[in-house]
Amino acid sequence: METSLSSSDPLSPVEQTYTSLIQQYLAVHCLDNATFYAERLYAHTTSTGAQQQQQPSSSSSHALYLLALCYYRQGQPQRSKSVLEQQNEACLHGLASSEILYLKALCCYELDEYALAEEALLRQVRQECRKGSHLDTTSMNEYIVNTSPCPIPNGAVGVQLLAKVCAKSNRKHRAIVYYKMSLNLDPFLWTSWEALCDHGVADLPSSEEVFGVEAISINEAVVEEAATQLPPTTPHIPSSSKDHNRHAPLSTGGVSSMNGILAAQTPDVSTHHSLQARTLAFTSGGGGNPTNNNNTTNTAIFETPNLTPIAKNDEQSFLLANTKSVAVQRARKVVFRDYYQPSPDVHQPKSSSMERSDNKPRSLFWSGLSSDHKLSTSHNKKLIFTSEQKATASASTANTPARPSAPTMPTVHVNHNPMIPPKTSKKVATMDNRNAIDEDDNHDDDNDENKNEAVNTVLQLLCLLGTAQWHLGQFHSKKAIECYQQLPGNHYDTGWVMNQVGKAYFAMADYSNAIRALQVMEQIEPHRMEGLQVLSTALWQTKREVELSHLAQRVTDFDRLSPQVWCVVGNCFSLQKEHETALVFFRRSIQLDRTLPYSHTLSGHEYFANEDLEKAIACFRDAIAADERHYNAWYGLGAVYYRQEKFDLAEYHFHKACTINPQSSVLICHLGMAQNANNKPYESLETLSEINSPQANYQRSLVYQQLERYEEALRELRLVNDAAPREAQIHFAMGRLHQRLGRPQKAMRYFLDALDLDPKDTNLIKSAMEKMEDPQASCEEELSAF
């Protein structure tokens, strides 16, 4: 049976001295000194045990844990694990603590030894299973959730680590189960909810059920309070650019400049008016200067999002099926430090600061409030007043009845030493003590109410963030952005939220707004590296070479050990057509973090540009191995197979990418293109009918030409021409369609327009003009060659 080091036998004075030194030096991050004393403590306990010829004791386990912890804090998990393996003999005697097992599992996880990590975490649970009381998986899950204390080391955090182990060992289903269990035990484990959303779990309960409260909303009172602050300043919104995509078969025109984007004002995090500016700064379809600002009402801006409940899975109904009250109660236990066992490496406060006048222990979390912890001194001072002094004080107080005075006692001076008991009457002391206790209880009741309100406030914030995170994980980007826009200004105007908003716009292929959000993130938190790989890719898509070069220079000067930095540098060289140099920097990013799928995906695109398709396939597969929901890698594989004319495989991989991100018009367009190439024209038309973009119109025109529906094809090409009037390819295709429809004059006009727009392909256009007398001539080969 596992025991906790915090509840073990008392340490000797020498061991307490060593422990105090280790705790203090760990607290001030003096790791070398803490490690030195941890080694001395371990040597002391080992020699003492050898002299007494005893079995491994709790003091030796305590010393072993502190030594392994110091090694782990220094970034030496292999050394820490080697020290913890010396505890195997003690484990056989039942002296292994939950802290030791958890630390060992943590070291094994970082060393990619997932089987050993799982063994350490499930040690006690498997022992119970061997007894025959919990044999099947469902009952084992219920046993973990319902047993108190939790049989997994460190409770909910240990279950979360177990989920990470299962995820790394390609057991997604078990990982999802353990993530749900960890949230069931501790609603404040945001990273578990984030992991469930990243895994694309669609059958989650609503965030209101998980966190036990309703989401916060920006009500009228908050708006009225914000109205008393400084007036808003509308940031400069530059004109948007057209969307571009790698390997896209059609270019929709040039990219308009974004002068002034770096000089745009950072949202004022001190005023609530930035909430109004946020809805105007990001516009659907590319942006533009906001208009009719005065007509925008607060009710339209601060409308509460529709928090759609998510159906639960009946198979795991006991997971995350708590009532709201149970979730709030467990959250309060975590905040009040009543759930997790205190670790031996944490410096415990003095006992005097943890006691009330009625000998009720105070909560560790609120021990920092000075107004509550100076009562003992004030109580001692009250007890040494004499009856004469109290009668005088009572008489001088208006509307206060004086108590009957006690027999006259000698005057006793105020004693400033709380350790010496005052010499006063027992009656006076008893009355004063009762009054002090009553005042303390009333004060504690008010504090408890304030604490509960604070817990509910945090849970409400998590509820709204959880809803937005779920929508983002399901690639419901517009709904996610709406939820983020409901956050209070001090939370919305942060780097993390701007990163999430930028990713949402990027998933919709709205690169202009994605750049705007991520550049705001960079201005608010210049130290944040997460999200820069998305920003650099968006800059690559919009061909902003100067801004991308400036970003690469800045981040390389700031942090050369971040994998995202080298993704930025690689994209910078890729935009300059230096593919080999870009590959060098992408490989450097992979060396720093092999689990970052973006590095593998960008490497695959560079190999694709170099026509090295086999290496491109290998890179895209590595990205999928790191994150199977990384739709960019599935798109890359589809593009490679389409180039190899393996249209079945191309259709499969494009369809997989669309399944992950069904909101991307680029992915849907490429799926329709692959279906048409795979002799599925009607399925292609059905797929392309889901979106309305110039690229989709162009692909539909090709399908209609294949079906010999020339009028419909011409109608689609007119829509493309309206969006990109200077594309010679579109004019040439419209000329060929008029030629097939027997309209030589219109055909000649479009051929001449194409010749003016692109004089380099004179031979192709003149050849088509010479064949004007043969309207039934096929032009499919010419179109592909153009």
Side-chain angles (χ1 to χ4, degrees):
M1 189 70 179
E2 298 174 8
T3 60
S4 175
L5 292 176
S6 60
S7 61
S8 57
D9 297 334
L11 302 177
S12 66
V14 176
E15 294 169 349
Q16 291 180 6
T17 302
Y18 279 124
T19 301
S20 178
L21 291 171
I22 296 169
Q23 290 173 349
Q24 294 183 67
Y25 288 123
L26 284 176
V28 298
H29 307 288
C30 188
L31 302 180
D32 293 338
N33 220 38
T35 303
F36 171 78
Y37 286 110
E39 292 173 346
R40 298 308 98 215
L41 174 61
Y42 183 68
H44 173 77
T45 56
T46 304
S47 61
T48 303
Q51 292 175 1
Q52 297 178 0
Q53 295 181 355
Q54 296 177 349
Q55 295 292 340
S57 61
S58 59
S59 61
S60 63
S61 299
H62 175 84
L64 190 72
Y65 172 77
L66 289 178
L67 179 59
L69 180 66
C70 290
Y71 289 148
Y72 180 79
R73 292 279 186 88
Q74 287 186 315
Q76 302 174 0
Q78 182 67 50
R79 193 175 182 184
S80 177
K81 172 177 171 290
S82 177
V83 171
L84 292 173
E85 287 177 346
Q86 301 177 19
Q87 188 71 6
N88 288 337
E89 183 179 354
C91 289
L92 298 177
H93 294 84
L95 295 176
S97 67
S98 60
E99 291 89 350
I100 289 179
L101 290 175
Y102 180 78
L103 183 57
K104 181 179 179 181
L106 205 58
C107 294
C108 294
Y109 174 79
E110 293 192 5
L111 295 172
D112 298 337
E113 299 177 357
Y114 304 124
L116 295 177
E118 185 176 4
E119 174 63 28
L121 293 171
L122 291 176
R123 177 174 175 268
Q124 180 181 350
V125 176
R126 288 175 175 174
Q127 287 178 353
E128 294 295 331
C129 290
R130 293 189 186 100
K131 296 178 182 179
S133 58
H134 308 283
L135 294 179
D136 58 326
T137 304
T138 304
S139 60
M140 185 184 74
N141 295 337
E142 295 178 350
Y143 169 71
I144 294 174
V145 172
N146 298 326
T147 303
S148 180
C150 182
I152 302 295
N154 276 5
V157 177
V159 177
Q160 185 191 62
L161 180 59
L162 190 59
K164 294 179 180 179
V165 170
C166 293
K168 288 291 185 180
S169 53
N170 296 323
R171 289 176 290 169
K172 179 181 177 180
H173 177 73
R174 292 302 302 167
I176 292 173
V177 171
Y178 286 131
Y179 277 128
K180 291 181 178 180
M181 292 168 62
S182 65
L183 262 179
N184 199 347
L185 295 171
D186 181 3
F188 279 115
L189 275 181
W190 167 259
T191 50
S192 293
W193 177 265
E194 193 174 27
L196 288 171
C197 295
D198 291 341
H199 278 82
V201 182
D203 58 346
L204 288 176
S206 67
S207 59
E208 295 181 354
E209 295 179 274
V210 174
F211 300 108
V213 295
E214 295 182 357
I216 60 175
S217 61
I218 303 175
N219 51 32
E220 295 180 358
V222 178
V223 177
E224 292 178 358
E225 180 182 357
T228 61
Q229 300 177 356
L230 296 176
T233 56
T234 305
H236 172 70
I237 310 297
S239 59
S240 62
S241 62
K242 301 294 182 181
D243 294 342
H244 289 256
N245 189 64
R246 292 188 181 186
H247 318 307
L250 172 64
S251 174
T252 59
V255 181
S256 60
S257 62
M258 295 287 290
N259 296 329
I261 183 65
L262 295 178
Q265 296 183 6
T266 303
D268 187 1
V269 297
S270 63
T271 64
H272 195 78
H273 288 287
S274 59
L275 295 171
Q276 183 174 1
R278 79 179 65 150
T279 58
L280 301 176
F282 303 108
T283 57
S284 61
N289 291 327
T291 59
N292 297 330
N293 295 347
N294 297 331
N295 296 330
T296 303
T297 60
N298 292 332
T299 56
I301 297 174
F302 305 129
E303 183 179 359
T304 305
N306 182 17
L307 306 181
T308 306
I310 308 163
K312 293 184 291 186
N313 188 359
D314 296 335
E315 182 181 359
Q316 302 168 4
S317 58
F318 74 96
L319 297 175
L320 293 180
N322 292 333
T323 61
K324 293 183 178 181
S325 60
V326 174
V328 174
Q329 289 175 3
R330 291 182 174 177
R332 289 172 182 172
K333 287 185 63 177
V334 175
V335 172
F336 299 155
R337 298 194 177 185
D338 293 333
Y339 179 74
Y340 295 104
Q341 294 293 332
S343 178
D345 63 296
V346 178
H347 180 67
Q348 300 296 334
K350 296 181 180 180
S351 58
S352 61
S353 64
M354 296 297 296
E355 296 178 356
R356 304 182 186 180
S357 58
D358 54 354
N359 295 327
K360 294 181 180 180
R362 290 188 183 272
S363 174
L364 287 174
F365 181 77
W366 302 100
S367 61
L369 297 177
S370 59
S371 61
D372 294 341
H373 291 272
K374 295 181 179 180
L375 294 176
S376 59
T377 304
S378 62
H379 292 169
N380 290 328
K381 292 181 180 180
K382 288 181 180 179
L383 294 177
I384 56 180
F385 280 128
T386 61
S387 59
E388 295 178 352
Q389 292 170 325
K390 296 196 69 66
T392 303
S394 301
S396 62
T397 304
N399 300 326
T400 302
R403 288 180 291 182
S405 60
T408 304
M409 298 290 293
T411 302
V412 180
H413 297 285
V414 175
N415 184 2
H416 296 282
N417 188 354
M419 300 302 296
I420 302 177
K423 297 179 180 179
T424 184
S425 65
K426 186 177 298 184
K427 181 178 180 181
V428 173
T430 303
M431 295 297 296
D432 289 340
N433 196 24
R434 288 177 181 176
N435 293 334
I437 292 174
D438 293 338
E439 294 176 1
D440 193 19
D441 289 339
N442 294 333
H443 192 63
D444 290 336
D445 292 339
D446 295 338
N447 284 337
D448 291 340
E449 183 178 355
N450 293 334
K451 298 170 193 176
N452 293 334
E453 291 179 359
V455 172
N456 290 338
T457 299
V458 178
L459 289 175
Q460 288 173 348
L461 177 64
L462 292 181
C463 183
L464 182 55
L465 288 175
T467 303
Q469 191 69 26
W470 184 84
H471 284 304
L472 189 62
Q474 298 297 317
F475 291 96
H476 303 159
S477 300
K478 292 183 179 179
K479 293 183 179 180
I481 293 171
E482 291 175 0
C483 291
Y484 285 126
Q485 289 177 346
Q486 300 305 314
L487 290 171
N490 56 341
H491 288 285
Y492 183 84
D493 298 324
T494 57
W496 186 85
V497 174
M498 285 292 102
N499 181 25
Q500 304 301 100
V501 172
K503 290 197 302 185
Y505 280 118
F506 186 85
M508 295 189 297
D510 189 353
Y511 302 123
S512 179
N513 280 330
I515 291 172
R516 191 173 291 112
L518 293 172
Q519 286 182 336
V520 171
M521 174 203 76
E522 188 187 10
Q523 293 172 359
I524 296 175
E525 297 181 7
H527 53 81
R528 178 178 289 273
M529 298 292 104
E530 179 63 31
L532 291 182
Q533 72 277 16
V534 179
L535 174 58
S536 63
T537 304
L539 292 172
W540 188 100
Q541 297 282 1
T542 52
K543 312 302 179 187
R544 304 185 190 179
E545 185 175 345
V546 176
E547 295 180 28
L548 184 54
S549 299
H550 174 73
L551 176 64
Q553 182 64 44
R554 190 191 68 78
V555 296
T556 51
D557 293 339
F558 182 79
D559 186 5
R560 290 176 175 266
L561 296 180
S562 173
Q564 291 85 1
V565 167
W566 300 111
C567 289
V568 174
V569 179
N571 273 329
C572 180
F573 281 95
S574 174
L575 187 56
Q576 299 172 6
K577 306 300 182 182
E578 300 182 18
H579 302 297
E580 292 296 335
T581 307
L583 281 169
V584 172
F585 292 115
F586 290 144
R587 283 194 290 266
R588 174 57 179 162
S589 177
I590 295 173
Q591 290 175 352
L592 292 172
D593 186 5
R594 295 190 60 85
T595 63
L596 184 64
Y598 236 98
S599 304
H600 300 282
T601 302
L602 294 176
S603 297
H605 284 304
E606 295 308 307
Y607 282 120
F608 183 88
N610 282 343
E611 299 295 334
D612 195 345
L613 302 184
E614 294 301 325
K615 290 185 179 180
I617 291 175
C619 290
F620 290 134
R621 287 176 176 172
D622 290 339
I624 294 173
D627 182 8
E628 65 176 6
R629 300 190 75 244
H630 190 61
Y631 65 90
N632 308 77
W634 291 100
Y635 161 78
L637 284 174
V640 171
Y641 289 125
Y642 189 86
R643 177 71 64 85
Q644 294 177 339
E645 297 184 0
K646 299 178 180 179
F647 300 122
D648 288 333
L649 291 175
E651 180 184 353
Y652 169 79
H653 288 88
F654 285 139
H655 183 269
K656 184 69 175 180
C658 291
T659 303
I660 298 172
N661 183 6
Q663 307 298 323
S664 176
S665 60
V666 176
L667 297 179
I668 296 175
C669 187
H670 280 76
L671 174 60
M673 182 176 63
Q675 290 173 337
N676 183 37
N678 202 22
N679 295 323
K680 300 178 181 179
Y682 295 102
E683 293 183 15
S684 177
L685 286 175
E686 183 179 359
T687 300
L688 294 171
S689 63
E690 300 176 6
I691 55 177
N692 186 16
S693 65
Q695 190 178 14
N697 293 330
Y698 179 78
Q699 294 298 328
R700 282 197 292 265
S701 71
L702 295 180
V703 178
Y704 284 133
Q705 291 181 48
Q706 183 177 345
L707 297 175
E708 297 183 356
R709 295 159 62 175
Y710 302 122
E711 287 291 349
E712 295 171 279
L714 188 60
R715 185 182 67 248
E716 297 291 341
L717 284 179
R718 288 196 185 99
L719 296 176
V720 180
N721 188 46
D722 293 339
R726 299 192 62 81
E727 284 290 337
Q729 183 180 2
I730 304 303
H731 290 271
F732 179 78
M734 294 177 70
R736 295 300 295 173
L737 287 176
H738 282 293
Q739 181 182 3
R740 291 184 175 223
L741 291 171
R743 303 166 185 171
Q745 294 181 351
K746 290 186 177 181
M748 182 63 68
R749 188 187 68 180
Y750 281 108
F751 285 148
L752 292 176
D753 291 340
L755 189 62
D756 293 337
L757 292 173
D758 191 2
K760 293 183 292 185
D761 289 316
T762 304
N763 295 331
L764 179 62
I765 300 176
K766 287 184 176 181
S767 176
M769 294 171 65
E770 293 174 356
K771 296 180 181 180
M772 290 286 293
E773 298 177 358
D774 186 10
Q776 300 298 327
S778 175
C779 63
E780 294 181 359
E781 181 178 357
E782 297 173 351
L783 281 174
S784 61
F786 189 85

